[in-house]
Amino acid sequence: WSDSSDGYLLCVRISDGKVMWQHKNENSKGYYWAGLAFSGNYGVIADDSGTVSTVDPETGKTVASLKIAERVRTTVLVDGSIAYVVSADGVLHKLSVGTDGTLSELGKVTFGGSSTSTPVLVNGKIAANGDGSLVEEINVNGYERFEKMAEA
């Protein structure tokens, strides 16, 4: 893996392209292949330091953060107050996002040796790609490995 550094998160007003705010990542790492998703009143994003953070969308300031792995290079999947994040070591993390923006880990499951796959939720199952072409479906209710699918 190559390292990233000095990532910035910014908010642009769509109507005129004005930059509303811009903040440098407090962890001195970048947002490599990262995307922000919303849970309630907070944006949720993971970075290349393996930290998941909630962000106030009005100011861009970090509300809370939680280190879950050495590296994350995916977009966060949010379903209500639950966030799912795949870390680069092939682990799916299930996080709770509190009404005040706090984060706590509810569980995790290893499904591959490595992954940069953004998880997808369909009918109570999460699909994520690991180790190149292996796809896993993981049951979100029991958090057990649900079905391993053959290479496509």
Side-chain angles (χ1 to χ4, degrees):
W1 302 94
S2 60
D3 281 332
S4 64
S5 61
D6 298 334
Y8 285 85
L9 188 61
L10 65 101
C11 176
V12 177
R13 188 168 50 206
I14 293 175
S15 63
D16 61 6
K18 179 182 178 187
V19 174
M20 304 303 292
W21 50 257
Q22 176 177 318
H23 291 288
K24 186 175 179 180
N25 190 340
E26 298 166 3
N27 297 317
S28 300
K29 292 286 184 177
Y31 297 103
Y32 202 99
W33 296 331
L36 184 131
F38 280 87
S39 177
N41 295 322
Y42 301 98
V44 185
I45 192 163
D47 66 28
D48 212 25
S49 76
T51 301
V52 179
S53 300
T54 50
V55 177
D56 180 338
E58 295 296 319
T59 65
K61 304 244 175 168
T62 300
V63 175
S65 60
L66 179 67
K67 175 95 169 157
I68 62 166
E70 289 304 310
R71 183 174 308 226
V72 174
R73 289 190 169 175
T74 64
T75 295
V76 175
L77 166 67
V78 171
D79 182 30
S81 64
I82 303 295
Y84 298 95
V85 183
V86 171
S87 53
D89 57 356
V91 177
L92 174 66
H93 301 264
K94 184 178 183 180
L95 309 176
S96 171
V97 181
T99 56
D100 58 355
T102 55
L103 294 163
S104 59
E105 188 159 35
L106 300 174
K108 60 186 175 181
V109 63
T110 300
F111 65 91
S114 66
S115 181
T116 55
S117 173
T118 295
V120 178
L121 178 63
V122 180
N123 296 326
K125 298 175 201 157
I126 295 202
N129 186 33
D131 293 327
S133 60
L134 178 69
V135 174
E136 289 276 348
E137 284 188 24
I138 300 160
N139 184 334
V140 298
N141 293 323
Y143 223 72
E144 62 235 19
R145 195 171 286 169
F146 184 79
E147 181 180 349
K148 190 182 266 188
M149 296 169 52
E151 292 183 18

